[in-house]
Amino acid sequence: MKLLGAQILLKGLEKQGVKIIFGYPGGSVIPIFDELYKAKKPKFILVRHEQGATHMADGYARATGDVGVVLVTSGPGATNTVTGIATAYADSIPMIIITGQVATNLIGNDAFQEADICGITRPIVKHNFLVKKISDLPMIIEKAFFIARTGRPGPVLIDLPVDVSKAEMEFENFPEKIEIKGYQTRPKVILRQVEEAVKMIKNSKKPLLYAGGGIIISGASAEFTALARTLKIPVATTLMGLGCFPETDKLSLGMLGMHGTKPANFAIQNCDLLISVGARFDDRVTGKIGEFAPYAKIIHIDIDPSSISKNVKVDIDVVGDAKEIIKELLKAAEPLNIPNWLRKVSGWKKQYPLNYDREKNIIKPQFVIEAIDRLKGDNAIITTEVGQHQMFAAQYLTHAHPRNFLSSGGLGTMGFGFPAAIGAQSAFPDKLVIDIAGDGSFKMNIQELETCVIYGLPVKVIILNNGYLGMVRQWQEMFFGKRYSATNLQPDGVGEIFDFVKIAEGYGVKGFRVSEKCLLEKTLKEAFAHQGPVVVDVRTEREENVFPMIPPGKAVHEMVG
Amino acid sequence: MENKKRIFAVLVENHFGVLSNVSNLFSARGFNIHSLTVGTTDNPDISRITIVVAEEDEQTLDQIEKQLNKLIDVIKVVNLSGQDEVIAEHVMAKIKINEKNRSDVIQLINIYKARIDYVNTETIMVSMVGNSKKIDSFIELMGHYGLKEVVRSGAIAMSRTVDVVPE
């Protein structure tokens, strides 16, 4: 059967189980959009900025575990995806980004809307492909998806020149076998390493489980929870790992690291064995590396060998898939006899709970998070932007299920949360999806309000509005003598100009504003019940700080607050 | 090879952009490349890149190997340093001469077993193969007479005992 490149692409996406594509058209992808129009599937969501498309595909992928797909044009369309791709790369999210490209004979000629997107994205993709001829296309599609979703997942870019989309070839089937010599999807678990780890665990007196996003990627939350409970070892999670272990459990210490809880951080600094599963010893967690976990032997379980001993030297490494390895550990797992340690840890929990001034008659951001936690129900998906509100959300929500908390951890991209929520909502139309936003962040992709309305995606945006770029302001307060350089969004002499409610209504979206503590719960209830997208402008205390905090360059135990 | 340098043999799929991937990796992570050379192997689909890195910290070298292995188009990475390796490098140079020192220079060139490719009243152009130490000392010596131009190919290496082949 003779098929066009564009038709082969769509057939390929269908074969890979793609249900939704997020994107924006342009000259070099018109042939593809033409075929989309005729085929009527997969579903296409037209965004208002290509960056929005990438974060939507990202949110979709984080919520479902499936690959998120983006389709944009060449030149500026492609370059607008760079931030979103880097965001996905930093958090190991499976994504396929299809960029149009100028015709093959024009590549390298500074043609109209030409950009070397393969060159530009090289450091921030797992791999990229330039489709030079149509006969390469079927294999490239197979390989791209394979690479994106296997091993440590990540974004893969396919650069598709317009003449290849328009070319024709005789096509029967996609290739059955993919061979990529240099790529190993699942390193074979070395059982001897597992045995060593089991021995070390059995001999420990003060063990701690350090759980990261890898557990969620591996779909291993249930197994990990069983392991922690069987061994009776306390659990601290990273930002990316929140939800892999229910925080209602006695063993849960909450989040660790720069804005982690005191019990979690004390546990790190006092444990004699640190068992890291699916985490990468990021600088937000370790603080001053030389003084991190000073008394602990370290077991590192990870699918990516390059993460092992990258920052912190470990004693035992077990390379492989988290679920597979945890299952092996479960075979030999027995409850440890460590009552003193458990008592000490629960003592810290009692002595150092997270707290804020609950008396003051002004809406504190933590108060809003607690209200959202109470009112959201058990199955809601929460996304966040980046900054203080993100940290409060990580601290004050009760994380109990994986894939319900979607936050840009590695890159820390402002403007991520709202489109990510839209992506998640498109995967789960019946769930309550909430974007917890800062007023700075929400303005970065506010244009996607239109997308919500057009596609009937009833995302609820709760803005913790303090009129500042809060996190930077906090650092300026703590370390730069309160010199609020470029962080006051309501500068003296100008004050507040922006009206979130008016702007929302301009987009056809319901807007709420609330500034009194006693009215917050009622407003949130109304917002969550509203059939349609909602923006809630919550006026909070202007200057509030996130504590505890490990100041930059300090060791974990030098927490303040 | 001085203490600070290590030599890696990297087998890669002969795909568009693979060299870019490798060099990008080094610059992005701040690893120091001393020399890099690439050519095809007996299999035209597989190329071999030989990289000499100016790093000696074990953790850094470990990371270099692991990060290279992560690249999709990289098939195999072998650290050849200390693996009973033979290192060879090609150098070409133009040496400044005059009537008085020409015979001396030619004598030295012959001692080093370099080949003379061109000579006139002011210049001798030579080419030589050797290990890095030999080349370093030759260039230093010729430097006393005056060097007009020097090009080095970068080292290639092979281990007597370990085979660097795709599985």
Side-chain angles (χ1 to χ4, degrees), chain A residues 17-37:
Chain A
V18 174
K19 299 193 192 63
I20 306 182
I21 305 176
F22 305 90
Y24 204 85
S28 55
V29 284
I30 296 184
I32 303 175
F33 277 88
D34 195 39
E35 293 307 318
L36 257 177
Y37 188 90

Side-chain angles (χ1 to χ4, degrees), chain A residues 74-75 230 255 336 351 384 440 446 495 502 505 538-539 549 557:
Chain A
S74 63
T230 308
M255 185 170 75
L336 293 178
Q351 201 181 355
T384 75
I446 196 168
K502 222 180 199 167
E505 285 169 355
V538 183
R539 339 271 300 155
M549 178 179 190
H557 56 271

Side-chain angles (χ1 to χ4, degrees), chain A residues 158-474:
Chain A
I158 302 175
D159 201 17
L160 187 48
V162 63
D163 53 338
V164 177
S165 296
K166 290 198 290 203
E168 226 183 12
M169 83 175 207
E170 193 60 49
F171 177 80
E172 281 311 322
N173 286 308
F174 285 93
E176 296 269 321
K177 226 168 68 98
I178 318 170
E179 195 200 315
I180 308 177
K181 287 194 200 69
Y183 182 57
Q184 196 187 28
T185 58
R186 275 168 97 95
K188 202 158 173 294
V189 179
I190 302 176
L191 287 176
R192 199 165 35 83
Q193 294 295 93
V194 178
E195 283 163 22
E196 291 292 318
V198 170
K199 233 190 283 167
M200 212 173 234
I201 295 172
K202 287 205 162 108
N203 287 329
S204 66
K205 291 276 170 281
K206 304 191 241 180
L208 175 67
L209 280 161
Y210 155 40
I215 295 178
I216 297 179
I217 294 176
S218 174
S221 303
E223 287 81 2
F224 177 76
T225 303
L227 182 69
R229 285 177 173 161
T230 308
L231 293 167
K232 289 214 185 12
I233 297 183
V235 177
T237 62
T238 65
L239 179 74
M240 298 304 296
L242 290 172
C244 74
F245 184 76
E247 287 190 335
T248 44
D249 194 301
K250 257 193 335 205
L251 292 166
S252 168
L253 300 177
M255 185 170 75
L256 47 68
M258 183 178 260
H259 288 295
T261 67
K262 284 192 172 152
N265 285 333
F266 286 145
I268 298 176
Q269 297 302 82
N270 287 282
C271 69
D272 66 359
L273 178 65
L274 186 68
I275 308 157
S276 163
V277 190
R280 58 187 174 92
F281 294 88
D282 180 65
D283 59 81
R284 298 291 110 164
V285 164
T286 63
K288 193 167 179 200
I289 283 205
E291 293 177 46
F292 175 74
Y295 308 111
K297 289 231 168 348
I298 303 180
I299 299 174
H300 194 171
I301 298 169
D302 204 290
I303 198 165
D304 183 354
S306 77
S307 274
I308 311 258
S309 292
K310 179 180 72 172
N311 299 326
V312 173
K313 244 194 164 279
V314 305
D315 296 275
I316 294 182
D317 62 277
V318 190
V319 177
D321 174 65
K323 196 175 193 166
E324 205 179 314
I325 296 172
I326 295 173
K327 280 186 168 159
E328 286 297 322
L329 289 170
L330 268 169
K331 287 184 189 161
E334 277 165 7
L336 293 178
N337 184 15
I338 45 171
N340 291 333
W341 174 238
L342 292 177
R343 213 175 301 127
K344 189 163 201 167
V345 164
S346 63
W348 285 328
K349 282 177 82 171
K350 269 199 216 75
Q351 201 181 355
Y352 302 107
L354 287 167
N355 221 343
Y356 62 97
D357 182 359
R358 295 168 193 274
E359 301 307 311
K360 203 164 174 196
N361 192 21
I362 189 171
I363 300 183
K364 293 274 187 180
Q366 301 92 324
F367 180 71
V368 184
I369 308 290
E370 285 178 333
I372 295 175
D373 197 35
R374 267 197 317 276
L375 299 170
K376 67 173 169 55
D378 206 31
N379 237 346
I381 296 176
I382 309 256
T383 69
T384 75
E385 308 285 344
V386 168
Q388 290 184 315
H389 67 275
Q390 176 191 30
M391 291 296 105
F392 288 134
Q395 291 174 334
Y396 285 87
L397 291 171
T398 314
H399 306 277
H401 303 291
R403 299 194 183 281
N404 279 358
F405 183 72
L406 317 179
S407 193
S408 169
L411 197 67
T413 308
M414 288 173 67
F416 165 80
F418 179 41
I422 298 175
Q425 185 85 84
S426 70
F428 297 106
D430 300 323
K431 280 196 184 183
L432 175 61
V433 180
I434 303 166
D435 172 35
I436 298 178
D439 51 302
S441 295
F442 182 55
K443 289 180 192 168
M444 288 206 169
N445 275 309
I446 196 168
Q447 77 279 350
E448 302 306 329
L449 279 172
E450 198 177 352
T451 314
C452 278
V453 175
I454 291 189
Y455 293 98
L457 299 166
V459 170
K460 320 290 182 220
V461 183
I462 315 294
I463 306 170
L464 302 192
N465 187 352
N466 60 6
Y468 275 117
L469 299 178
M471 187 56 93
V472 179
R473 184 211 58 73
Q474 178 172 336

Side-chain angles (χ1 to χ4, degrees), chain A residues 122 126-127 130 132 147 152 180-183 304-306 308-310, chain B residues 13 16-17 20-21 24 59 63 66-67 69-75:
Chain A
R122 219 176 285 282
K126 205 171 162 186
H127 197 61
L130 170 63
K132 286 188 158 158
I147 294 170
R152 181 177 181 178
I180 308 177
K181 287 194 200 69
Y183 182 57
D304 183 354
S306 77
I308 311 258
S309 292
K310 179 180 72 172
Chain B
E13 306 248 17
F16 166 75
S20 232
N21 262 324
N24 233 344
Q59 203 168 345
Q63 265 300 293
K66 285 173 170 172
Q67 291 292 344
N69 263 316
K70 238 175 130 168
L71 294 174
I72 302 287
D73 281 333
V74 168
I75 300 168

Side-chain angles (χ1 to χ4, degrees), chain B residues 3-6 53-61:
Chain B
N3 273 344
K4 206 170 177 267
K5 302 205 188 75
R6 298 280 192 277
V53 298
E55 302 275 359
E56 58 183 346
D57 171 53
E58 283 309 319
Q59 203 168 345
T60 309
L61 292 166

